[in-house]
Amino acid sequence: MPRIPKYTDPIRFPQYADQDTRDVRGWILLVCTVLLPGSVQSLFGVRRFGRFALGLSLATLALVLLLGLAALVRRQLILTVATNPVILTVLTLWAIVLGVVWIVALVDTVRRIRPVGLSPRTRLGVLSAGLVSVLVVGGGLAWGTATLNSQRQLISEIFAGGLGQRPTDGRFNIALLGTDAGKGRQGIRPDSISLVSIDARTGESVIIGLPRNMQNVPFAEDSPLRAEYPHGYACGDECLLNAVYQLGEENAESFDGRAPAGAQAMKDAISGVTGVEVHYYAMIDLTGFESLIDAMGGISLVSGKRVPISSPVDKTTGEHGPVRGWIEPGELHLDGFHALWYARSREFASDYERMVRQRCVQEAMIAQLDPATVLTRYQAIAGAAPDVVSTDIPQIQVDRFVDLALKTKSQDIRSVNLTPPEVVPSDPDFDAVHAIVQSALEPAEARAASPDGPSVLAAGAAPAGAGAAAGAVPEVAAAAAPAEGEGEEKDRAICYVP
């Protein structure tokens, strides 16, 4: 009787298989390890490493699927994962272990394939594919690990600890300060002062610009400075809004120490001026601001006027030297140096015009910080941000504010500037200012339902006038408002973000 050949497992004993089978076997083993590290080792009976690697691979796959499902169902959960330092630390360690295990599994798999038993063409292909796999896996996980670690450091360095605050009347109000602590200037003096009010449900935002030279500013009722200045910060030309920061620093013992005393004093002053509770502050160092814009790749906007790049101020005369250059009007893409000058330049311009330019720079940054920019330039942005931004927004609420920021990007940002003729900085009528602010903060539904139709405070519009008489009420303020579209055209003549 003829002898029946005994079946031999070609996976474990390739030496008994034909050439084509060995070639196919090599590709199958490599692909299995690329897709599921540890699967080949488990097949060959390497129990301890195989089980650990396969378990880690399956857990990672399950985690990715779970996060993907969560992204579809509840975006807030993904943002919590991405902004929690503890979770980010765990994910960073996980990625490091996964990377090491994956690379070890790939190297071990290539050894078990036994390249010497492959045909020359297959041997070259398998070895090349194995090397590419190691480089892709190693490089990809190295980038992911570095990004996770940068995100963890960014959250830890910029944001505060402690519990968060609830919105007031459905809105979060954040004082946005641009500091100007250059050479020859003592301490921090906010050069750009705004209140960003965000609807806690929809993300609809209003930017309220406050002139830095506003006088007689009142403090919030619960402010430590209220007792010393019950009638406002009134001592003449030296007692300006942007001097409140140093006033707070000089009275640091009166504040709770959870944030810089100067920043807390500014929050109290902005609250007194606008009549709304200020929950948090975010302070931008305008010197470092240049590096942040460069990290983003620059910003784009449309300018309607020439803006000078000035020479330093002559200390003997107090005047600028000759203009060093100009930022010409038209469609512009500005690097950090020119964006900073565009926002800060004072010569040949009113404070109102300067505030509009600052708002354009802010809006351009918001518009350009899209996911593609963040992903491709994340390391540079994360490296620049801690030297530029400080805030008392707690880490526990970062996910919520990121979610609101994403909602804000899909909407027009409205703006109000508390400037002449509606508000006279040297002698402001704060009752009228409160009326302007309350009108600006009306929800979109309330504005649409108004008998007079939508408010004039459309995207980029100037504020409705308030009148200068003491005790002016909203009806009087509305009567003094410019015609619909007039404020917007005035602003767009200076600059706008396309």
Side-chain angles (χ1 to χ4, degrees), residues 279-295:
H279 301 95
Y280 302 113
Y281 83 93
M283 187 160 61
I284 299 175
D285 174 9
L286 293 179
T287 303
F289 172 83
E290 181 177 331
S291 63
L292 183 59
I293 294 288
D294 285 334

Side-chain angles (χ1 to χ4, degrees), residues 32-33 36-59 98 101-102 104-106 108-109 112:
C32 286
T33 298
L36 201 61
S39 57
V40 170
Q41 286 68 34
S42 298
L43 182 63
F44 278 89
V46 186
R47 295 182 180 178
R48 189 169 296 178
F49 178 80
R51 287 176 181 175
F52 177 76
L54 189 57
L56 182 64
S57 303
L58 292 174
L98 177 63
V101 167
W102 206 337
V104 170
L106 280 167
D108 182 69
T109 297
R112 294 179 185 280

Side-chain angles (χ1 to χ4, degrees), residues 53-93:
L54 189 57
L56 182 64
S57 303
L58 292 174
T60 302
L61 182 60
L63 180 62
V64 171
L65 292 175
L66 183 63
L67 291 177
L69 180 62
L72 296 175
V73 176
R74 191 180 180 188
R75 182 173 64 184
Q76 187 79 22
L77 181 60
I78 297 298
L79 296 177
T80 300
V81 171
T83 57
N84 185 294
V86 175
I87 296 177
L88 289 170
T89 299
V90 172
L91 290 178
T92 300
L93 295 174

Side-chain angles (χ1 to χ4, degrees), residues 287-308:
T287 303
F289 172 83
E290 181 177 331
S291 63
L292 183 59
I293 294 288
D294 285 334
M296 291 174 53
I299 57 172
S300 297
L301 52 81
V302 178
S303 177
K305 294 188 175 182
R306 297 180 87 197
V307 176

Side-chain angles (χ1 to χ4, degrees), residues 196-248:
V196 181
S197 183
I198 309 168
D199 189 297
R201 180 177 59 86
T202 65
E204 180 191 29
S205 298
V206 180
I207 298 177
I208 299 170
L210 288 76
R212 61 191 177 86
N213 61 341
M214 182 175 279
Q215 298 184 27
N216 308 324
V217 295
F219 293 98
E221 292 184 3
D222 59 350
S223 173
L225 297 175
R226 177 84 174 203
E228 186 175 351
Y229 300 95
H231 304 296
Y233 187 38
C235 61
D237 294 343
E238 295 300 316
C239 292
L240 306 179
L241 176 56
N242 74 336
V244 169
Y245 194 102
Q246 282 305 304
L247 179 67

Side-chain angles (χ1 to χ4, degrees), residues 77-336:
L77 181 60
I78 297 298
L79 296 177
T80 300
V81 171
T83 57
N84 185 294
V86 175
I87 296 177
L88 289 170
T89 299
V90 172
L91 290 178
T92 300
L93 295 174
W94 187 311
I96 292 172
V97 173
L98 177 63
V100 172
V101 167
W102 206 337
I103 291 173
V104 170
L106 280 167
V107 173
D108 182 69
T109 297
V110 171
R111 180 180 68 84
R112 294 179 185 280
I113 288 173
R114 299 183 184 178
V116 359
L118 303 177
S119 64
R121 183 174 180 180
T122 303
R123 184 187 309 135
L124 178 61
V126 167
L127 290 175
S128 299
L131 178 61
V132 169
S133 298
V134 169
L135 293 176
V136 170
V137 169
L141 287 173
W143 176 85
T145 301
T147 301
L148 287 170
N149 191 53
S150 295
Q151 174 74 348
R152 180 191 61 79
Q153 290 179 334
L154 182 67
I155 298 297
S156 300
E157 291 178 12
I158 291 182
F159 297 97
L163 301 176
Q165 299 186 47
R166 294 180 178 274
T168 302
D169 297 327
R171 304 190 74 88
F172 284 110
N173 303 309
I174 303 171
L176 183 61
L177 311 174
T179 63
D180 189 19
K183 293 180 179 180
R185 309 190 72 171
Q186 296 182 354
I188 291 176
R189 282 199 292 176
D191 194 49
S192 170
I193 305 169
S194 302
L195 178 69
V196 181
S197 183
I198 309 168
D199 189 297
R201 180 177 59 86
T202 65
E204 180 191 29
S205 298
V206 180
I207 298 177
I208 299 170
L210 288 76
R212 61 191 177 86
N213 61 341
M214 182 175 279
Q215 298 184 27
N216 308 324
V217 295
F219 293 98
E221 292 184 3
D222 59 350
S223 173
L225 297 175
R226 177 84 174 203
E228 186 175 351
Y229 300 95
H231 304 296
Y233 187 38
C235 61
D237 294 343
E238 295 300 316
C239 292
L240 306 179
L241 176 56
N242 74 336
V244 169
Y245 194 102
Q246 282 305 304
L247 179 67
E249 292 293 298
E250 292 165 4
N251 294 271
E253 68 283 351
S254 301
F255 293 89
D256 57 25
R258 289 181 295 181
Q264 294 189 66
M266 288 298 300
K267 287 166 59 178
D268 291 344
I270 293 171
S271 178
V273 170
T274 60
V276 300
E277 180 180 356
V278 179
H279 301 95
Y280 302 113
Y281 83 93
M283 187 160 61
I284 299 175
D285 174 9
L286 293 179
T287 303
F289 172 83
E290 181 177 331
S291 63
L292 183 59
I293 294 288
D294 285 334
M296 291 174 53
I299 57 172
S300 297
L301 52 81
V302 178
S303 177
K305 294 188 175 182
R306 297 180 87 197
V307 176
I309 299 174
S310 304
S311 298
V313 174
D314 187 328
K315 294 182 179 179
T316 59
T317 64
E319 297 181 354
H320 284 287
V323 173
R324 291 186 292 165
W326 294 88
I327 301 173
E328 299 294 344
E331 296 184 6
L332 304 174
H333 185 77
L334 303 174
D335 60 13

